[in-house]
Amino acid sequence: MYNKDDILDKKNDKIMDQEKDKITENNIYDKKENQNEDEMINWQALNPIPVPTWRWLGVNDRLIKGDPISEKSVFPPYQFKILNLSKLDVKVENMNEEKNSHLQWKDFAIDGISQQVGMQVVKQYNSGFYLETKARQKSKEAIQISYEFKKEQNVVVDNNLIHAMEGSELTVIVDYESLDNHVAYHNGLTRIYCEKDAILNYIIVQKLSEESTHLGACIAKLEENATINYIIVELGSKNNITNVRNDLLGNQSSANIHTVYMGEGQRELDINYICNHYGKESKSNIEVKGVLQDQSNKIFKGTLDFKKGAKKAVGQEEEYVVLLSDKVRNRSVPLLLCTEEDVSGQHAASAGRIEEDKLFYLMTRGFSEVQAKKLIVEATIRPVIDRIEEKTLRDAIYEEIRRKINHG
Amino acid sequence: MEKKKTVVKDIDRSIYDWKNEDKYSYKSEKGLSKEIILDISRKKKEPKWMTDFRLKSLEIYNVMDLPTWGPSLDDLDMNHIVTYVKPETEMKGSWSEVPDEIKNTFDKLGIPKAEHEYLAGVGAQYDSEVVYHSIKEELVKQGVIYTDMETAIRDYEDIVKNYFMKLVPPNDHKFVALHGAVWSGGSFVYVPEGVHVDIPLQSYFRSNSPGAGQFEHTLIIVEKGAKLHFIEGCSAPKYNVTNLHAGCVELYVKEDASLRYSTIENWSRNMMNLNTKRASVEKNGTIEWISGSFGSKVSMLYPMSILKGEGARSEFIGISFAGKGQTLDTGTKVVHAAPYTSSTISTKSISKDGGAAVYRGSVKVAANAHHSKSTISCESLMLDDLSRSDTIPALDIMSDQVEIGHEAKIGRISDEVIFYLMTRGISEEEAKAMIVRGFAEPIAKELPLEYAVEMNNLIKLELEGSIG
């Protein structure tokens, strides 16, 4: 299993790396010298993969550059906005200590990104919602919650809990958006509990300003025949570290993660998805579509872990990345872990430049090169974005992506 | 009624478990120290640069840490490993001169027979030293060199000095540093420009001494436009103490040259197999790795291909079979460091009886390696729920003009496939046997015939009911 000593051992790594670096150029995640050790240690081991591999790849865990917000900080309270509530029969409250410390949520291990990052949310949150559905209540409309960042309010540490009662169905949309160019800091954790037969659609759209830090984690536990469908759209921030862990506890439970990410500028994305299969005939599906341009740098880690007893479980994982620049760095680590024979797991990852003949074809039809690229990128992300039923949101996402694809 | 299960038989190790009495003309002290290394170097009458190299490697070994990933190496206690065991014979050029006991061991393993029937040259190492080496006369006439490393240092010092541990430097990882300090034996192959060696050469490494380490060094240089197929075999009898194998293989494939490197590794289950293999491939050159891992207690083996020249190509075909008490952590690494390079990786693993089969790999595409292609496919088959099967690949891509595809599958034998075969008149048992054989087939067919037969013997099926 993941070993914290790994972090301390990097000096030796350097010796080992020297030769390889000659061939493969410098590792962008190379350790900063002269960091204050005490403060950095816990922040280095962010987003670890469940089973580590060669250190020189730099994918086992990562640090964020620059000083994180200190543990002692007290963040001014923040009130999220909520839309559509009146139309729905769900209970929403501001996060409070009674809920936060309730036994039910205690056994959620919060170390997805790291113990310290999770603890910051649980102990120092300045916002967050508690949402509870009604049993067997199926809502057609989505509830929309938005966290807006601006100069006066640039720190949100949100602690969210969603309790999907038996047989209920609901769509929750959560927006994280910068209203100005001010640097924002966001650390959020959503703990989700889906009871038997519940269906939860959870849509996250992140559009923080360019220099911001975005730490986003979700942990879901799923009982028998419960389903969670995530749609995650990552369009902003500088340091983008996200973690989704689904514990498929119940038989026939299922988890689907559909993600679109966009790398631009100097953005560093670190995406870590884990599906733990415990229940019989449990299902998971991870579908990731990415676009990388400029000098962006991405690590996608996706783990399907079939635990003993998860008979007839099925897991799938797929990532496709379109590369729009020769300065990007694109790393993928799709893990398949298995201790149960009677399962089927598959993963696939592929990357490629836009094929020249596709581009050429579009250009003969009168599109400029940039327009043609936009069309191709749009076609790539469509399978994920079109899952969003709210047209205005969907259109806004397409618009944002089109705007961001700037050059060849 | 209890569901009947097909039993995949354990590997029959009786041939390999043949033990000879632990006889030697010299054996170093247990553990590792400057004195031991100076002693080995003195016994080998080495030039000073090599002695210095050993000492430098020891220094690196002492400061480096163990890997923080991968299988547990807790059973390995370097203070109890004997690093150098010189057998009671000098190297011979004829089997009749090799002491009977040692010759009998190689006879049992079928080496002299294979030499006679289908090899162009043979090297045989027993513990720390090569005891036999031969090469066909016509190859010698074409300038092909195939000899043990000790002779190579003496007779071809300039070439060796130029290449030795340049591709795998001792600071690469802890066990390579150890290798640099205590290496002994191994083969040296030099194929001059344009020469095609059409019949394979084979080196066989046998470790007999309990609690010992084997650290052979294989150095192969295939010059421009030349061609070679090299086979490496290894085995050891089972002891109750831990043995260590930390060999090192360096392959230099020059422009337009091609090299196929086949290994069937069948160490006993007290062996820690921490081997390092690496190839550097120049313009339009080709490296092909055929790798079968069946033995050892723990294996950490990831042959690496560095595609340095434009149009260089690598292919890796691997199969591993992890049984009771085994952790076979194997895979491959590829670095695309030039434009128009291509790599294919295809691996299969089978785990049973609590064995753990891990595929660990990495494909790196440097920023200048435009128009490179890589295809990776990993498949694993679990035969029971006591076992473990993990796939840990990593892709690192820094160029936008590439085509990379990775696929991995894990699973059991599907009932639908069995049903389909049964509707075609094939019995259930036969259908399952076909599927397991079919699973290993793509690897088996790449092996020389004799090895394919050996592999099929290793994966013996006893069919009784369903698999899984």
Side-chain angles (χ1 to χ4, degrees):
Chain A
M1 290 312 286
Y2 177 68
N3 180 357
K4 282 238 157 86
D5 293 344
D6 205 12
I7 311 144
L8 300 167
D9 293 340
K10 302 224 168 161
K11 269 185 195 148
N12 290 326
D13 256 13
K14 282 219 157 157
I15 308 174
M16 292 164 63
D17 285 353
Q18 276 164 5
E19 199 59 27
K20 285 168 194 116
D21 279 348
K22 277 179 205 159
I23 307 158
T24 55
E25 300 196 355
N26 293 322
N27 187 333
I28 294 162
Y29 290 110
D30 256 356
K31 189 132 291 104
K32 268 190 171 178
E33 301 295 339
N34 311 321
Q35 286 281 8
N36 179 339
E37 288 261 323
D38 291 341
E39 223 178 281
M40 284 309 292
I41 282 168
N42 292 313
W43 287 92
Q44 283 169 346
L46 299 187
N47 244 1
I49 43 176
V51 180
T53 187
W54 294 297
R55 288 172 284 186
W56 55 268
L57 285 164
V59 298
N60 288 337
D61 52 51
R62 61 160 291 168
L63 72 148
I64 33 177
K65 287 174 183 169
D67 278 327
I69 285 169
S70 138
E71 247 180 75
K72 283 138 203 129
S73 310
V74 177
F75 310 118
Y78 175 91
Q79 184 58 53
F80 55 83
K81 284 187 189 155
I82 186 159
L83 292 172
N84 251 0
L85 183 61
S86 54
K87 295 185 197 162
L88 299 168
D89 197 7
V90 294
K91 188 163 125 190
V92 184
E93 294 171 21
N94 277 334
M95 177 54 71
N96 53 63
E97 265 319 288
E98 185 204 337
K99 297 293 182 210
N100 189 34
S101 57
H102 194 279
L103 269 183
Q104 186 192 342
W105 306 103
K106 280 273 174 193
D107 64 334
F108 277 68
I110 50 135
D111 55 358
I113 292 180
S114 85
Q115 187 72 23
Q116 199 195 6
V117 169
M119 284 312 283
Q120 184 179 65
V121 175
V122 174
K123 288 193 167 159
Q124 294 166 266
Y125 63 91
N126 67 350
S127 191
F129 58 84
Y130 172 81
L131 192 153
E132 192 183 295
T133 63
K134 271 200 179 146
R136 284 167 293 280
Q137 182 87 41
K138 295 188 192 300
S139 309
K140 285 281 160 235
E141 300 246 8
I143 181 166
Q144 194 162 347
I145 290 167
S146 68
Y147 291 95
E148 290 172 344
F149 295 72
K150 49 184 183 275
K151 193 175 178 210
E152 311 79 63
Q153 182 57 272
N154 66 336
V155 175
V156 173
V157 177
D158 57 324
N159 183 1
N160 311 309
L161 299 171
I162 301 176
H163 189 164
M165 295 290 182
E166 187 173 331
S168 66
E169 184 174 346
L170 179 68
T171 299
V172 180
I173 300 170
V174 183
D175 252 332
Y176 299 95
E177 187 174 6
S178 283
L179 301 179
D180 57 26
N181 286 330
H182 209 80
V183 180
Y185 174 83
H186 168 237
N187 181 10
L189 170 67
T190 305
R191 286 170 280 175
I192 299 162
Y193 182 62
C194 291
E195 287 193 17
K196 186 166 181 268
D197 301 327
I199 298 174
L200 178 69
N201 303 310
Y202 195 51
I203 302 173
I204 301 168
V205 181
Q206 183 268 119
K207 292 188 278 186
L208 296 186
S209 63
E210 271 173 30
E211 291 300 315
S212 302
T213 293
H214 169 67
L215 303 163
C218 295
I219 307 165
K221 290 189 192 242
L222 300 152
E223 296 294 352
E224 192 182 332
N225 202 36
T227 301
I228 186 156
N229 301 308
Y230 298 87
I231 299 169
I232 301 173
V233 184
E234 300 285 351
L235 301 175
S237 81
K238 165 75 166 58
N239 296 301
N240 183 309
I241 303 182
T242 52
N243 188 297
V244 175
R245 189 179 74 231
N246 299 305
D247 290 339
L248 296 139
L249 305 171
N251 296 341
Q252 285 111 28
S253 57
S254 77
N256 304 296
I257 309 175
H258 304 280
T259 296
V260 163
Y261 64 79
M262 167 97 207
E264 59 176 336
Q266 310 282 325
R267 184 169 304 146
E268 302 197 356
L269 291 127
D270 195 286
I271 304 168
N272 194 7
Y273 295 159
I274 299 161
C275 292
N276 292 318
H277 287 260
Y278 295 93
K280 294 194 176 88
E281 295 174 53
S282 53
K283 275 189 195 150
S284 66
N285 182 14
I286 301 175
E287 177 193 29
V288 177
K289 309 279 187 190
V291 181
L292 294 178
Q293 65 177 14
D294 305 332
Q295 285 119 58
S296 57
N297 183 320
K298 176 235 66 176
I299 304 176
F300 168 71
K301 308 174 253 200
T303 303
L304 304 177
D305 191 346
F306 297 99
K307 310 284 186 185
K308 195 170 169 177
K311 292 201 180 298
K312 307 229 181 301
V314 181
Q316 267 191 60
E317 180 183 337
E318 202 185 326
E319 189 199 13
Y320 181 76
V321 194
V322 181
L323 306 171
L324 295 178
S325 142
D326 58 1
K327 306 236 166 22
V328 299
R329 186 159 190 200
N330 172 28
R331 280 177 280 185
S332 305
V333 190
L335 304 187
L336 266 181
L337 310 176
C338 184
T339 47
E340 168 59 51
E341 63 181 307
D342 192 2
V343 299
S344 119
Q346 265 190 50
H347 68 214
S350 51
R353 185 191 172 81
I354 292 176
E355 287 161 45
E356 273 159 21
D357 48 348
K358 254 191 220 164
L359 211 56
F360 180 74
Y361 174 79
L362 286 168
M363 286 162 76
T364 60
R365 289 284 176 270
F367 292 98
S368 74
E369 193 179 333
V370 174
Q371 280 172 326
K373 279 182 180 170
K374 286 181 184 181
L375 281 174
I376 291 167
V377 166
E378 212 172 299
T380 305
I381 62 170
R382 215 167 247 291
V384 172
I385 304 299
D386 281 356
R387 288 172 183 273
I388 300 173
E389 287 187 8
E390 290 64 29
K391 189 173 180 303
T392 37
L393 180 59
R394 215 165 51 215
D395 291 347
I397 293 167
Y398 282 127
E399 190 48 46
E400 181 79 3
I401 287 171
R402 271 184 224 122
R403 194 176 61 77
K404 280 170 182 288
I405 293 167
N406 37 31
H407 45 72
Chain B
M1 199 185 80
E2 204 188 323
K3 200 174 158 193
K4 276 191 171 178
K5 284 200 168 192
T6 292
V7 177
V8 177
K9 265 197 173 173
D10 224 354
I11 289 169
D12 177 9
R13 292 202 49 92
S14 55
I15 307 168
Y16 306 101
D17 273 339
W18 177 265
K19 274 176 218 176
N20 288 335
E21 198 187 322
D22 183 24
K23 285 192 208 159
Y24 44 86
S25 66
Y26 173 79
K27 191 171 181 172
S28 70
E29 294 289 316
K30 282 181 183 173
L32 203 54
S33 69
K34 196 174 167 186
E35 288 65 43
I36 289 173
I37 284 157
L38 286 171
D39 209 28
I40 295 173
S41 193
R42 219 172 8 248
K43 288 268 177 334
K44 289 177 173 289
K45 303 187 180 76
E46 284 175 347
K48 184 167 181 304
W49 66 268
M50 185 53 84
T51 315
D52 293 345
F53 186 90
R54 287 179 185 277
L55 293 175
K56 189 183 136 229
S57 300
L58 178 67
E59 274 172 36
I60 296 169
Y61 172 82
N62 285 334
V63 297
M64 262 194 171
D65 65 341
L66 287 166
T68 48
W69 46 271
S72 160
L73 300 175
D74 292 349
D75 289 336
L76 182 66
D77 179 356
M78 276 314 296
N79 297 324
H80 286 91
I81 297 283
V82 177
T83 53
Y84 182 64
V85 184
K86 185 171 165 44
E88 277 189 311
T89 175
E90 298 300 319
M91 195 187 73
K92 304 294 180 198
S94 143
W95 281 112
S96 60
E97 294 168 44
V98 176
D100 281 351
E101 202 176 58
I102 296 176
K103 180 179 176 291
N104 285 343
T105 305
F106 286 107
D107 274 342
K108 283 195 176 70
L109 295 167
I111 308 301
K113 185 168 174 277
E115 176 184 1
H116 180 66
E117 286 170 3
Y118 67 98
L119 295 171
V122 160
Q125 177 160 343
Y126 192 79
D127 289 327
S128 296
E129 294 288 355
V130 175
V131 294
Y132 173 83
H133 237 288
S134 81
I135 177 169
K136 287 216 159 105
E137 194 58 36
E138 57 264 36
L139 290 178
V140 178
K141 280 183 192 148
Q142 293 179 76
V144 177
I145 304 167
Y146 178 41
T147 183
D148 63 297
M149 275 306 290
E150 278 73 10
T151 305
I153 287 187
R154 205 170 53 235
D155 297 354
Y156 311 99
E157 187 174 344
D158 291 349
I159 306 179
V160 175
K161 200 174 170 181
N162 224 351
Y163 291 96
F164 185 83
M165 291 195 83
K166 290 280 173 18
L167 189 54
V168 184
N171 59 10
D172 207 77
H173 61 80
K174 193 169 181 77
F175 295 99
V176 167
L178 173 67
H179 176 91
V182 300
W183 77 272
S184 178
S187 292
F188 172 72
V189 186
Y190 181 86
V191 186
E193 188 171 332
V195 174
H196 287 201
V197 181
D198 294 321
I199 313 170
L201 301 177
Q202 180 183 19
S203 286
Y204 201 96
F205 303 101
R206 173 78 180 170
S207 179
N208 183 65
S209 189
Q214 196 168 40
F215 306 96
E216 84 287 350
H217 194 93
T218 301
L219 176 58
I220 298 179
I221 300 153
V222 187
E223 290 287 1
K224 192 173 172 183
K227 205 177 154 190
L228 174 70
H229 181 187
F230 188 85
I231 304 171
E232 174 197 77
C234 12
S235 70
K238 167 99 178 150
Y239 290 107
N240 291 326
V241 291
T242 302
N243 277 37
L244 169 65
H245 176 237
C248 178
V249 174
E250 295 183 287
L251 311 175
Y252 294 88
V253 181
K254 301 292 178 70
E255 199 175 322
D256 293 320
S258 84
L259 170 60
R260 171 175 276 218
Y261 195 93
S262 307
T263 309
I264 289 287
E265 173 275 304
N266 195 13
W267 295 112
S268 55
R269 298 200 183 160
N270 56 321
M271 183 64 91
M272 306 293 262
N273 181 36
L274 312 174
N275 215 4
T276 307
K277 300 180 178 182
R278 195 164 297 168
S280 121
V281 189
E282 289 178 22
K283 192 174 170 187
N284 295 327
T286 302
I287 177 76
E288 292 172 285
W289 302 95
I290 317 291
S291 184
S293 291
F294 296 90
S296 85
K297 178 185 176 64
V298 169
S299 274
M300 290 172 84
L301 175 62
Y302 325 96
M304 180 175 187
S305 308
I306 300 172
L307 305 174
K308 276 171 73 173
E310 212 170 294
R313 206 172 69 82
S314 76
E315 185 172 353
F316 181 89
I317 296 174
I319 188 162
S320 62
F321 186 161
K324 193 173 179 178
Q326 291 182 282
T327 302
L328 304 184
D329 197 308
T330 61
T332 186
K333 298 186 263 192
V334 181
V335 177
H336 290 261
Y340 300 97
T341 49
S342 67
S343 64
T344 55
I345 297 170
S346 161
T347 68
K348 308 248 181 182
S349 76
I350 303 171
S351 48
K352 60 164 291 214
D353 280 348
V358 180
Y359 169 78
R360 189 183 300 274
S362 78
V363 172
K364 213 161 177 155
V365 182
N368 67 331
H370 54 85
H371 295 93
S372 289
K373 285 182 188 174
S374 178
T375 317
I376 306 148
S377 135
C378 310
E379 277 182 75
S380 17
L381 193 59
M382 298 259 292
L383 296 182
D384 55 51
D385 58 9
L386 304 168
S387 308
R388 169 155 207 110
S389 172
D390 292 346
T391 312
I392 312 174
L395 302 173
D396 185 353
I397 299 159
M398 295 198 264
S399 168
D400 66 336
Q401 299 184 56
V402 292
E403 275 173 58
I404 309 287
H406 171 97
E407 263 180 35
K409 267 189 230 159
I410 189 158
R412 68 197 301 256
I413 296 171
S414 105
D415 293 338
E416 290 83 28
V417 176
I418 291 166
F419 181 76
Y420 172 81
L421 288 168
M422 285 168 71
T423 62
R424 291 286 177 270
I426 295 162
S427 76
E428 190 179 344
E429 287 70 21
E430 184 50 30
K432 283 164 187 161
M434 279 171 73
I435 292 163
V436 173
R437 266 189 249 119
F439 184 76
E441 220 288 310
I443 312 288
K445 77 173 201 287
E446 294 300 327
L447 293 167
L449 181 64
E450 291 70 14
Y451 278 81
V453 172
E454 184 181 341
M455 195 179 92
N456 283 337
N457 287 338
L458 292 173
I459 310 173
K460 249 188 208 151
L461 291 173
E462 195 177 88
L463 293 155
E464 247 188 66
S466 71
I467 286 179

